[in-house]
Amino acid sequence: MKDVALHAGVSTATVSRVLNGHAAPTPETRERVLAAIDELGYRPNALARSLRTTSTQTLGLVISDLLNPFFAEIARAVEDEARSHGYCVVIGNADESAEQEATYVRTLLDRRVDGLLLCPATDDPSLVREVSAGGVPLVLLDRTVRGATCPVVRADGSEALTALARRLVGAGHTRIGVIAGPPNTSTGRERTDVLTGSLGGLAQVVHGDFRQESGSQAAARLIDDGATALVAMDNLMGLGALGEVRARGLQIPHDIALAVFDDQPWFPLLDPPITVIAQPTVEMGRAAARSLLALINGQQPDDIRLTAKLVLRGSLGEAEL
Amino acid sequence: MKDVALHAGVSTATVSRVLNGHAAPTPETRERVLAAIDELGYRPNALARSLRTTSTQTLGLVISDLLNPFFAEIARAVEDEARSHGYCVVIGNADESAEQEATYVRTLLDRRVDGLLLCPATDDPSLVREVSAGGVPLVLLDRTVRGATCPVVRADGSEALTALARRLVGAGHTRIGVIAGPPNTSTGRERTDVLTGSLGGLAQVVHGDFRQESGSQAAARLIDDGATALVAMDNLMGLGALGEVRARGLQIPHDIALAVFDDQPWFPLLDPPITVIAQPTVEMGRAAARSLLALINGQQPDDIRLTAKLVLRGSLGEAEL
DNA sequence: TTGTAAGCGTTATCAA
DNA sequence: TTGATAACGCTTACAA
């Protein structure tokens, strides 16, 4: 910057003003400064600027699992929305580990992100409290924590789940295996509660950890126990369940029915195509980013609940007629 | 930091020394400082530290498309490797757009990442030159650019592709549709060249853009032109091709054979399972991160070529026997 | 072992 | 309109 100033025959203050689009500088000096910048290939140091202004124009996003396409899509939506407001997003991948999540959150805070978007690994509120205590704007995404006091953006799958339950019961299933998420996550608990609630005594629940392998194992146990229908509470566990079903040579829907929470582009391509509960991922990501930006700007955004939709395809058998 | 110093009855220099694990401070003063830090909930400002030390302990990663599971997996591997060396990764998603790619690269450089990992959207070397001119350590990942002078980490699919070609020819296919990547990407060109080369005059090539939609369109054209086998040069285009095949009610492999570059967890679950050329994504990501770290440490890492492997499944028909 | 003080590259206040 | 200059929060000679 000093070099630029020297080159243009002005002070660094003037260079700064040109850079920040202040009204002050003469068109003529602005021209000279711009020329010098160009000639020297000067690029401002964002670190120094942020140190001075206490604003990084950066949002932190800590997601549960980058390899889960659901979160990848969310991440992309957040990024799009943020960019359209001049913000950049730093993504941290917690890998469904509370410990790694905490590490990332602290790293991001240390780098002074202007706000934080968090998909909490567990419903333990301590990390959220820590962030709030630091006064950093925070929005929870997809999952919430116990007694959360910050805005939450998530999907509501209750209607879709009860509709799904109706279908399954209507189709005559009496042993319905539920591959649930971890009970210490809000989505894991809520989805399962709603489904088992509307299923009455017909549900059998096995908890997984939102990953493929746990889906296979849960499916194996449930099939062994005589389940004639499987509902996986997230797409990765659904993938695992599907693998187990295939490995046993069972036919969907003849031998066993299957439905999965979260849609994926390849679900319609299976034979039969898989019935899913689709979440509005893109809208969730965008809404969360907007809420966070509002919070940063001193507003108090409300919680947002978008509705997930039941998409009936062939994997339920006659129920989908 | 001043507060901590005051609280502990020392100077900020001492606080800094404790923070950075210097040998100097007495166990006793160290204790006092640590206590003060704890009590005040102090966290050092990474921005200020970086400004002073000119090191951010951060790697930039600009990938072509976050929604492509291939890149998501790479991103995760990079992150894992980086973290194990005390580095943090900032991910930028170029969305297969050269413009957005450039924007991200510059943003990351402005934030003074210690090094940059780039999966270039095109083989235009200008952006790479710009980075190199800035003296920032740079490693290219998955794809290269024309006349690249920096280390490149990628997969070599030649053997797998020629083996695939042999299978297809051996199975009697005479019109083989190749759904190629963009000709202005190194992977797009090279893979296609190898395959068409070993296919002789039997290949028909349609270029896509590494996305699902383009895969469907390319497949449609190739099928209309009488192709009896389809090879998609990336998993997203493969997904699109599969959709088109299904939409037309064609049976794999009876009516048409299919092979895809990049494996995905759900490919084995299709009926028939899809034959793929699998890239060692995790190793690519880790190797790239290691190369970059080496470069940052003043070494001169070599280019790395890992080999992609042909995984025969049912989608080729009798060829896989 | 500890403290003082300069400096990292910016921006913002205040005079000129 | 422009230029000195202090300050942002940290690290690091250099002195003590």
Side-chain angles (χ1 to χ4, degrees), chain A residues 1 16 20 42 44-45 52:
Chain A
M1 192 159 174
S16 172
N20 294 288
Y42 164 78
N45 184 324
R52 184 59 233 247

Side-chain angles (χ1 to χ4, degrees), chain B:
Chain B
M1 191 159 173
K2 226 183 289 180
D3 292 347
V4 172
L6 228 57
H7 224 78
V10 298
S11 73
T12 59
T14 299
V15 175
S16 172
R17 286 190 270 255
V18 169
L19 243 32
N20 293 291
H22 275 238
T26 316
E28 186 229 325
T29 51
R30 177 185 309 275
E31 211 46 60
R32 279 217 316 281
V33 170
L34 256 24
I37 286 176
D38 209 62
E39 183 159 351
L40 299 179
Y42 165 78
R43 301 238 81 205
N45 183 324
L47 259 32
R49 182 193 303 232
S50 293
L51 181 59
R52 184 58 231 251
T53 60
T54 65
S55 146
T56 51
Q57 294 294 103
T58 301
L59 268 29
L61 168 64
V62 177
I63 60 176
S64 316
D65 180 7
L66 230 199
L67 288 192
N68 187 331
F70 168 72
F71 288 112
E73 220 165 319
I74 287 212
R76 210 213 133 160
V78 167
E79 204 184 31
D80 279 353
E81 186 70 28
R83 192 179 33 241
S84 81
H85 292 268
Y87 279 77
C88 169
V89 177
V90 181
I91 302 171
N93 179 24
D95 239 338
E96 298 286 2
S97 139
E99 202 179 333
Q100 217 171 108
E101 169 183 274
T103 307
Y104 256 114
V105 166
R106 298 201 184 100
T107 307
L108 293 174
L109 295 187
D110 288 352
R111 287 166 197 233
R112 299 310 192 255
V113 290
D114 292 342
L116 195 63
L117 243 27
L118 177 63
C119 307
T122 77
D123 59 2
D124 180 333
S126 55
L127 189 61
V128 167
R129 291 222 188 92
E130 187 180 326
V131 176
S132 303
V136 177
L138 172 68
V139 170
L140 260 27
L141 180 47
D142 178 50
R143 327 218 265 229
T144 186
V145 301
R146 297 191 306 270
T149 55
C150 56
V152 182
V153 176
R154 52 185 162 160
D156 183 351
S158 311
E159 263 182 62
L161 284 165
T162 51
L164 174 62
R166 240 187 338 262
R167 291 277 173 173
L168 290 170
V169 174
H173 292 282
T174 55
R175 290 183 89 83
I176 298 165
V178 178
I179 303 174
N184 67 344
T185 62
S186 65
T187 49
R189 225 175 327 98
E190 288 165 13
R191 291 176 195 169
T192 307
D193 287 352
V194 170
L195 184 59
T196 55
S198 29
L199 242 27
L202 309 179
Q204 245 171 311
V205 178
V206 173
H207 286 277
D209 62 3
F210 284 140
R211 312 184 99 128
Q212 181 172 354
E213 180 56 25
S214 74
S216 310
Q217 290 167 1
R221 282 181 49 191
L222 291 164
I223 294 171
D224 286 341
D225 283 0
T228 60
L230 251 29
V231 181
M233 286 309 190
D234 124 284
N235 75 82
L236 292 183
M237 296 193 298
L239 176 57
L242 196 62
E244 182 64 25
V245 167
R246 285 275 203 271
R248 292 178 179 232
L250 298 176
Q251 295 301 317
I252 300 175
H254 180 265
D255 302 320
I256 194 160
L258 177 65
V260 177
F261 211 102
D262 291 346
D263 199 6
Q264 287 302 311
W266 51 275
F267 279 150
L269 297 182
L270 290 176
D271 188 23
I274 305 295
T275 291
V276 299
I277 293 178
Q279 301 191 68
T281 44
V282 172
E283 250 324 303
M284 288 170 69
R286 301 197 90 104
R290 276 195 300 267
S291 288
L292 183 56
L293 291 169
L295 205 54
I296 290 173
N297 293 323
Q299 301 161 41
Q300 286 295 337
D302 290 325
D303 283 7
I304 295 180
R305 285 218 105 165
L306 300 160
T307 51
K309 287 187 319 233
L310 179 61
V311 181
L312 291 167
R313 298 194 183 117
S315 66
L316 251 38
E318 49 244 339
E320 91 274 16
L321 298 178

